[in-house]
Structures are given as C-alpha cells and as structure tokens.
Amino acid sequence: MGKMYEVSNKYNNYKEYQREFTEVGRSIPRLDGPAKVTGKVQYTDDLVLPRMAYGKILRSPHAHANIKSIDYSEALKLDGVLAVITGEDCPIPYGIVPHNANEHALAVGKVRNWGEGVAAVAALDEATAEKALELIKVEYEVLEAIVDPREAVKRDDLRIHENHPNNIAYEGTQVYGDPEKALAESDFIIEKEFYSSYVNHGFIETQSAISDYDPNTGKLHMYATCQVPHYTHQQLAKVLEMPMNKIRITVPLIGGGFGGKGVASQADFCSALLSRKIGKPVKITYERSEVFATNNGRHPCYMKFKMGFDKDGKITAVDFNNLMDGGAYSGWGIVVLFYTASMVHIPYMVPNVKFDGKRVFTNKPTCGAHRGLGGVQPRFAMEQMLDEAAEHFGMSPYAIRKLNAVESGYTAKSMMYVPHSEYKKCLDEAVEKSGFLEKQGKLPYGKGIGISGGYYISGTSYTLYLSYKPHTVATIKIDEENGVTLFCGATDIGQGVDTVMAQMAAETLGVKTEDVKVIPRDTEISTFDLGTFASRLTFATGWAIRQAAEKINAELFPVAASILKCRGDEIAVKDGYFYSIYEREGKKGRNREVLWTDVVTMYIESNGPLTCSGQFTPPRRKGIQQGGNIGHSPTFGFSAQVAEVDIDLETGKVNVVKITEAGDCGQPINPMSVEGQVHGSIQMGLGQALYEEMQIAPDGRFLNPSLHDYKMPTIRDMPKIDANIVEAYDPSAPYGGKESGEGPIQPTAPAIFNAVYDAIGVRFTEMPLTPEKVLNAIKAQKAK
C-alpha cells in the first residue's frame, strides 16, 4: 500500500498495550473492513428505492446578488420533470447552533456565495433533472462581493446580512488573570501576525440524501450522509414543520466526514421537500463542485499574537487577536471562534490570557467544523513562537516545551481541568526516536528538523443548544439467537468507532469482539447520541457501554454462581467463560467454569429476554466567562511531532521526508486504529501546510472547485511516518482510553514550518508554504 503504511505491523503484538484487558488493547482490523474493500456494503448513493426520483439543485453563478425573480415554468413542461421548489417553499431558517440559525435550504431573496442553491428539481432520471435546471430562468441584481474579512469589517455600507453591522457575525473577549501587567513585566516578548489558509475536508464520498415521504402516514424516512443525525433530525423537523416522531433518519456507511458532514446539507432538506411534494422517494447526490460550494471547512484566520516570557523561558502571558473569515452563513462559527480561544490554554501553562475575536461574514462558501476544530490555527502560530523564544534564550525547542508543558491535575486559568496528561512523555519519545537533539541546527543547508506539540478535547462537555438530556445512551441486548447486540446512535464516519464500541462491550461482558453485533445508526432503532464531533465518541460511548454491560453482568453473575456452586463475588468472566477466580487461575485445564452462552441460555429460560441500557453525560464546570464553556472536556489527548524536511533549492519545493509522532491517547482501545487516525491527521496537516487552499476571485467566483485543481497530498507526497503510542492510562476515562484522531493534526504544520526554518533560516507565517514562497526567500537570502 506504499510508504504511508510502512509501520502498520508494529502494533500486531498488542500485548504491549494491554493492562488487565483482553479485548481492549487488541489491534483488530475494522469489523466492516472486508465488506468495504470487496464492495459488499452500500453507501447512500448506492441505494435505489422503488419509484425513486432524482433531484438536482440549481446554484447561483454569483457570489452576492438579490434574486429578482425565478421562472421555472419551462422546466415543469419538460417530460419527466415531477416538481420544482425554490426558497418560497422553505422560508424557515436552520443552523447547527439554533439561536444563530440563518441558513435556508434554498436562498430566500438573496444569494451570499457562489454556488448557493436557488431552486431544486425532481425528475424521473438525473439527465432530465440536469436539463430542467437549464430551463429555469433566474433574474439577479448583482451586488458587490466582499471576500476579505479585513475589508468586510470596514464596510458597513455593504452588509451581507442586514442585521449584522460591519459584517460581524460574532465577537467576544476573554480576559484571564492580568495579561497587560504580565506582558509589561515580561523579560522577553514576541509579537507576530499569522494567516492560516482556507481549506476543505476532501472526503471521498460526496453528500447524498434519499428522502421517502409517505403521504398515507405523514412520515418521512431519510437516508443521509450525516455525522450528526440528532441535530439533522431537529433541523428537519423545524424546516418541514413536522414532529420529530414523524421523521426517521438512517445513516448508512459514511465515506469520510472530518467535520464536513457535521451539519444538515441542502441535499437533506431539498430531497425531503421534493419527496413530500411528489409523494415519491427523491435522491440528491452532490457533484464535487457542490461540496466546495457548501464547504463547511476550516476557517481562515488572520491572527495577531503577543507572547511574554520570564527570564527562564516560562510563558507569562498571551494576547491573542483573531479575525476569522466565516464565509456567508453562521454554521459552526460561534463555536469555532471560542474554540480558538480555548486552545491557547493547553498544552502549556499560560497564567495570563487575553482573547479578542471576531467571526466575519464574507461572500464565500461558509466555514464550519474541520478536524481539530479551532486548534490548528492558534497552534500554527504559538508553536513557531515557542521556537523563536527558545532561540532567544539559547534553549532547545524541546527544552522550552518541557519547561511549560502541562501535567496531570493541571487547571488552566479558563477553568479547563486536565485530569491526565503524558504530554512530557510524548515530547521525550518524539525527540528520542527522531534524533532531534543530534540533528537540530546541525544539518546541511536545505535540510532541517522541527518539533511541535498539540492536544485536543476528548468528550466535549457541552451540547450546541441548551439541553440536560444524556449525551449518549447505549443498549445491549443478549439472546440465544444473536448473542450480543449493541444499539448506539454514535456515527462511524470511517474512523472505526463501531469496532471500538464492540471491543469495549466485549471487554466488560467477557466475550470476543467479533461476537458483538453493532446496529447501524437509525433514529427509530438506535439509542440517542449527540453525534460525531469533538472527539467525543470513545469517551462518551465507552462509559455508556460499560454501564450497560455491567448491568448485564449483574444479571448473569448470580446464574453463573449457582451453576458453579460459589458466591457471586467469586465469579469473573473472560474469553467466553464464567469461572471461579479461586479455582481457575494458575491451574491447568478448565476448573469450575461454564460457557458464557450456557449461562445466557439458563438466564433466558428462567427470566426471559435480557436488555440493559447505560448512559453518559460529562461533568460541567462552573464560573465560566463568555464563551468559556466551549473547549471544556472531561479529558484531553496529547501529541508531539518532529518533522524532517529536504528542500529542493532550485525549485523551492519542501519535501517532508519523515514525521515522528508520539501520542498520549491513554490506553489505546485499538492500537491499529490509533495508528490509522494519526496517519490521517498528519496527511491533512501536511496538506494544509504545503498544498491546499481554496481560491476565490475578487468577485467571489470559486476558481478551483475540483480535486483536479484543488491540490491535496497523495501517497507519493507522504513522508515516512513513525507513529508511537506512549505508555499511558487515564483513570478518568472508560477503559483508560481517550482521543487520538484530532490532536495529532495540530502539530504537523508548525513542525514542518519549524523544520523549514532550521533548513534555510527563514520563518514563514502564512499557509500554504508554496515552492514560490520558499524560492523567493532563498533568492532574497542570496541577494543579501
């Protein structure tokens, strides 16, 4: 499979990663893997329902325009066209954060970005639907477009949303401690500006939805590529003005999400509205250009940082000003804004912090949630500034990070509590395995090495709306026909959570992972879960599953004890057997034990079906400032990375030859999956650092809305990756495990940029780091 997977055999001997566990800590290939690679599974677009029609959305060629009129009479005359809808059919706004909802399924009165939907068609086949779009006549009054947030905040004369002066979507300030005084008393201050780029997730599967409205029952069944079915359920009910119990959402397998499917899509709403209108199922699947037009990718940020240090190199204060380009609509914006603020407080001890932030509307596709939400931008800046400070103090970049790193039990000024951290161990292992101290500052010109760190939340503490219901519920059903069946609404977006949930259930029940059946997401069948975001699934589902499984054990243990003729507190279960802890351990053969299945049979014959549920809601912190609840989490994962680069001095191309990563994910539930998540994070971080940026013309036209023109790293661009799991166990986490999929994206870009400085002695502050920028810097050096 290429060099990206050279290290994939290192976790096959999983015993190294097990404590008292048997199933947790096993490197198990994903349970759905064989079916995926052989093409047996079906994604949403693979599904075909009886009498199904096909939908297409007409999208605006303008980035900013008033809609004067829409005439679709000719489209309706086309043979095979079943219905057309416009913004008049969907006047109710929606949004992932309900009190900031300002999006519509189709534009109402005005378009605010290139590619915004203005009408949708349902027809007997896709070709007819496409032809019908050409027959719809839209009269626009084209308005001036604003694509730079620095300009947008100065243009109150040109409001993208009339109720937002100066195009400011949200703004906020947080002050912890006395940063002004701390900076005035600091021995060394760095003040710099940074820009992080406008990037898309690039998932393989485009958004797709099939809506099947039954006029006889008034019920809507939707199949959707959605990583937050609960929130989509809510928003559909609002926009369609239907009770939630009349809406069912089934989520088939998802071909990647990374946050981009963390909102309800226009395909969801339009397919539902069209299906209700014609009384037939309607499928809408996006083209790649539509993925870019609806975006929800990472926010570009114009950041101003001021960092103070004492004479020993300890951080004294951080003053962070962030101007975020939010695009046309609200989306996840207020959440991301305050996430960038919270990310300043960890993984280093920062005693005084000031944050001023604005999220600004522009005439560009809306930004939203993207892997490592809110953390990539500030880490890009701060990790480079730490290197610059280290150079000033004559310290190693490794030493200044060790000096300031948080440890278990740390409480930040923002009240964020870190119950467990092995970040220092991550730094140690990454440095040792990469030879960082032997290479840094000593390699030939053009070759360099850089270090960086990062972290991420693991099980967010807050919902996106005011609610005190459990965040996750898991139900386990035990019977003779199916064995163990696990119901949980947690959405697998390709990260392997179904396998991890099966492992955790199997661990407590004492059976094999392969014997646990996980029921796919379906709001009518599955139990409740908030959705896949903020690296919450392993932590949240783990506690709920463990609670449900322990309830099952409480029912089965007395039955096993009666069979084995011993007390219940003498019974244990493992490897598919209940046994006496006093007569099995250390003896040859099987003594006083009974098959798990035999105990289940006896229980059911005596008591009937056995089903138990568990739930989890994370603790919440009190006494928090404006927006300060965002970023709080029951625990946190950590990552340190060392990047090695070899720059082509004739072209300026930065070749990343190796990245050494060391991560604290607590007890890895599935080490093989942890490694896969680390590889994915590094690939995305490298892409943003060197290749990726969505290009928008001054009039708001999208210049590169395809994977031919939007450059992403391929397997040929990937470095050798040495991913390592540091020895760790988080006692606050279920089975000791925490996140591993979002923290590792934070260090990648700054590690590469720090390595480039080590290679050619130039610091860069803008992403992506293109060959032209590097070559110009090299030429400027030579000219001096």
Side-chain angles (χ1 to χ4, degrees):
M1 293 296 290
K3 57 187 176 182
M4 186 177 178
Y5 294 95
E6 284 180 2
V7 296
S8 61
N9 291 326
K10 71 192 294 180
Y11 298 133
N12 285 351
N13 182 11
Y14 59 83
K15 293 295 185 185
E16 177 185 354
Y17 294 99
Q18 292 179 297
R19 292 172 181 259
E20 73 277 15
F21 302 121
T22 55
E23 295 304 301
V24 164
R26 284 180 63 198
S27 276
I28 303 175
R30 295 178 189 175
L31 299 179
D32 58 2
K36 282 182 175 178
V37 299
T38 56
K40 290 182 179 180
V41 297
Q42 288 188 312
Y43 294 83
T44 302
D45 191 47
D46 295 319
L47 301 175
V48 178
L49 302 185
R51 303 168 55 249
M52 189 172 76
Y54 295 83
K56 290 289 180 181
I57 298 174
L58 179 66
R59 298 189 176 277
S60 169
H62 308 292
H64 199 194
N66 290 321
I67 301 172
K68 305 296 287 184
S69 65
I70 302 177
D71 181 359
Y72 52 83
S73 57
E74 293 301 313
L76 283 175
K77 295 176 185 177
L78 183 64
D79 187 37
V81 172
L82 303 174
V84 179
I85 59 172
T86 68
E88 292 181 355
D89 298 283
C90 44
I92 299 174
Y94 69 91
I96 188 71
V97 183
H99 63 280
N100 292 305
N102 65 353
E103 299 175 72
H104 291 86
L106 295 168
V108 175
K110 185 179 183 180
V111 293
R112 295 176 172 86
N113 66 274
W114 171 89
E116 183 170 359
V118 296
V121 172
L124 293 177
D125 54 66
E126 289 187 79
T128 302
E130 289 276 10
K131 189 173 181 180
L133 294 184
E134 298 172 6
L135 298 176
I136 300 175
K137 298 180 179 65
V138 185
E139 183 184 353
Y140 295 100
E141 177 193 0
V142 179
L143 305 172
E144 180 185 352
I146 310 176
V147 297
D148 188 328
R150 296 168 295 183
E151 179 189 358
V153 295
K154 301 173 184 176
R155 294 294 303 275
D156 194 44
D157 63 308
L158 185 61
R159 295 187 184 181
I160 295 171
H161 294 269
E162 283 301 320
N163 58 337
H164 287 273
N166 295 100
N167 297 301
I168 297 171
Y170 327 102
E171 58 184 324
T173 299
Q174 295 176 354
V175 178
Y176 297 97
D178 192 343
E180 187 174 341
K181 180 174 182 290
L183 286 168
E185 296 175 352
S186 295
D187 292 274
F188 178 63
I189 292 175
I190 307 175
E191 193 167 0
K192 301 195 81 166
E193 297 185 14
F194 296 85
Y195 169 74
S196 66
S197 47
Y198 184 41
V199 294
N200 187 260
H201 315 81
F203 38 71
I204 296 174
E205 180 202 30
T206 64
Q207 281 93 338
S208 182
I210 303 173
S211 292
D212 185 5
Y213 180 79
D214 185 344
N216 297 311
T217 62
K219 291 185 177 181
L220 173 72
H221 187 182
M222 176 181 286
Y223 302 84
T225 56
C226 176
Q227 60 187 87
V228 286
H230 165 65
Y231 287 98
T232 297
H233 198 172
Q234 281 191 325
Q235 292 162 51
L236 279 170
K238 177 185 177 184
V239 171
L240 273 65
E241 296 183 281
M242 294 175 61
M244 290 183 71
N245 64 2
K246 291 284 188 178
I247 299 173
R248 174 184 179 183
I249 300 177
T250 298
V251 181
L253 292 172
I254 294 181
F258 313 112
K261 293 171 183 170
V263 292
S265 74
Q266 292 173 355
D268 300 337
F269 295 108
C270 290
S271 65
L273 289 162
L274 287 166
S275 179
R276 185 166 67 177
K277 193 164 189 173
I278 67 175
K280 291 183 177 183
V282 176
K283 177 195 287 186
I284 297 179
T285 299
Y286 281 0
E287 302 293 335
R288 180 60 59 177
S289 61
E290 294 179 286
V291 175
F292 283 107
T294 51
N295 188 28
N296 292 297
R298 198 177 311 286
H299 287 71
C301 291
Y302 294 86
M303 299 175 287
K304 296 179 181 178
F305 266 95
K306 186 185 289 186
M307 287 185 72
F309 298 83
D310 69 12
K311 61 182 176 56
D312 298 316
K314 286 187 176 181
I315 300 170
T316 56
V318 170
D319 188 335
F320 174 26
N321 183 285
N322 190 11
L323 184 68
M324 291 176 54
D325 185 346
Y329 291 98
S330 294
W332 280 81
I334 191 169
V335 177
V336 182
L337 177 70
F338 285 111
Y339 257 121
T340 66
S342 72
M343 292 292 164
V344 172
H345 295 270
I346 306 174
Y348 306 105
M349 296 177 288
V350 185
N352 302 280
V353 177
K354 181 182 179 184
F355 170 78
D356 286 294
K358 292 182 177 68
R359 185 187 188 264
V360 180
F361 289 122
T362 58
N363 292 120
K364 292 153 75 171
T366 304
C367 299
H370 196 150
R371 191 178 200 159
L373 178 155
V376 169
Q377 299 97 322
R379 284 269 68 73
F380 171 65
M382 292 181 69
E383 292 293 327
Q384 291 187 77
M385 295 175 80
L386 277 172
D387 264 36
E388 196 166 343
E391 187 174 32
H392 169 81
F393 289 110
M395 301 171 66
S396 160
Y398 159 65
I400 200 168
R401 286 172 171 80
K402 280 289 293 282
L403 178 67
N404 289 285
V406 302
E407 295 182 313
S408 298
Y410 174 73
T411 300
K413 288 290 184 180
S414 62
M415 299 295 291
M416 292 167 66
Y417 172 65
V418 182
H420 173 264
S421 171
E422 297 293 354
Y423 180 49
K424 288 186 176 181
K425 194 181 292 185
C426 294
L427 290 166
D428 292 342
E429 191 155 336
V431 164
E432 179 185 350
K433 297 211 168 184
S434 65
F436 177 81
L437 295 177
E438 293 76 28
K439 297 175 183 177
Q440 198 257 336
K442 304 179 182 68
L443 297 173
Y445 183 78
K447 298 180 188 294
I449 191 167
I451 189 172
S452 180
Y455 83 99
Y456 208 63
I457 63 177
S458 188
T460 181
S461 293
Y462 292 85
T463 61
L464 299 176
Y465 62 98
L466 185 60
S467 174
Y468 296 96
K469 68 192 297 183
H471 287 203
T472 295
V473 178
T475 296
I476 298 174
K477 177 169 71 78
I478 307 294
D479 57 35
E480 294 177 281
E481 293 77 15
N482 298 291
V484 180
T485 306
L486 172 61
F487 298 85
C488 185
T491 310
D492 194 321
I493 58 174
Q495 81 279 41
V497 71
D498 282 0
T499 302
V500 166
M501 288 196 297
Q503 285 183 259
M504 293 187 292
E507 180 63 50
T508 298
L509 293 173
V511 299
K512 301 299 289 183
T513 299
E514 293 79 359
D515 296 329
V516 178
K517 181 187 301 179
V518 179
I519 300 301
R521 275 57 48 189
D522 188 318
T523 57
E524 191 169 274
I525 299 171
S526 302
T527 53
F528 178 82
D529 179 75
L530 280 179
T532 302
F533 60 92
S535 287
R536 55 175 298 278
L537 291 194
T538 297
F539 196 96
T541 65
W543 280 124
I545 289 168
R546 183 167 177 172
Q547 186 182 104
E550 287 174 346
K551 290 179 180 178
I552 294 286
N553 286 348
E555 296 291 325
L556 295 180
F557 269 46
V559 177
S562 67
I563 296 172
L564 297 175
K565 298 183 172 24
C566 60
R567 296 202 316 268
D569 59 3
E570 297 178 7
I571 294 292
V573 60
K574 186 167 64 175
D575 299 328
Y577 284 88
F578 286 93
Y579 60 92
S580 165
I581 59 176
Y582 296 114
E583 298 198 32
R584 186 192 193 203
E585 300 297 334
K587 292 191 176 183
K588 294 181 180 179
R590 298 195 178 278
N591 300 285
R592 292 190 68 181
E593 61 186 16
V594 58
L595 279 168
W596 186 87
T597 51
D598 290 346
V599 174
V600 168
T601 296
M602 179 170 284
Y603 178 92
I604 291 174
E605 287 177 351
S606 302
N607 301 283
L610 178 55
T611 300
C612 293
S613 295
Q615 63 184 42
F616 174 73
T617 299
R620 302 186 179 195
R621 307 285 284 176
K622 297 180 180 179
I624 295 170
Q625 294 187 30
Q626 176 208 17
N629 59 328
I630 296 174
H632 282 255
S633 175
T635 192
F636 304 88
F638 296 86
S639 174
Q641 290 177 26
V642 172
E644 297 180 52
V645 301
D646 186 352
I647 299 172
D648 187 323
L649 300 178
E650 294 185 358
T651 66
K653 186 177 188 302
V654 176
N655 299 298
V656 183
V657 296
K658 184 179 180 182
I659 290 184
T660 304
E661 192 270 350
D664 165 22
C665 63
Q667 162 68 48
I669 308 299
N670 187 335
M672 183 186 293
S673 282
V674 170
E675 185 193 13
Q677 289 292 289
V678 171
H679 278 260
S681 275
I682 289 172
Q683 187 270 348
M684 294 189 84
L686 184 145
Q688 182 166 6
L690 301 179
Y691 300 97
E692 300 179 38
E693 183 153 37
M694 294 186 287
Q695 300 290 335
I696 308 295
D699 65 359
R701 286 178 298 114
F702 211 127
L703 300 177
N704 59 339
S706 73
L707 294 183
H708 176 77
D709 298 309
Y710 178 84
K711 301 299 183 184
M712 299 174 65
T714 68
I715 191 69
R716 293 174 62 85
D717 303 301
M718 290 300 293
K720 179 179 179 182
I721 297 175
D722 181 13
N724 302 275
I725 301 173
V726 303
E727 185 179 351
Y729 183 91
D730 186 342
S732 72
Y735 309 98
K738 49 190 182 178
E739 78 86 25
S740 64
E742 294 194 86
I745 196 174
Q746 290 187 20
T748 305
I752 292 169
F753 275 62
N754 286 336
V756 169
Y757 174 77
D758 189 49
I760 62 173
V762 180
R763 295 194 187 278
F764 295 89
T765 57
E766 295 186 0
M767 295 192 278
L769 187 54
T770 61
E772 292 81 5
K773 293 175 184 175
V774 177
L775 189 59
N776 288 338
I778 293 172
K779 289 178 179 179
Q781 275 187 325
K782 289 181 179 178
K784 290 180 181 179

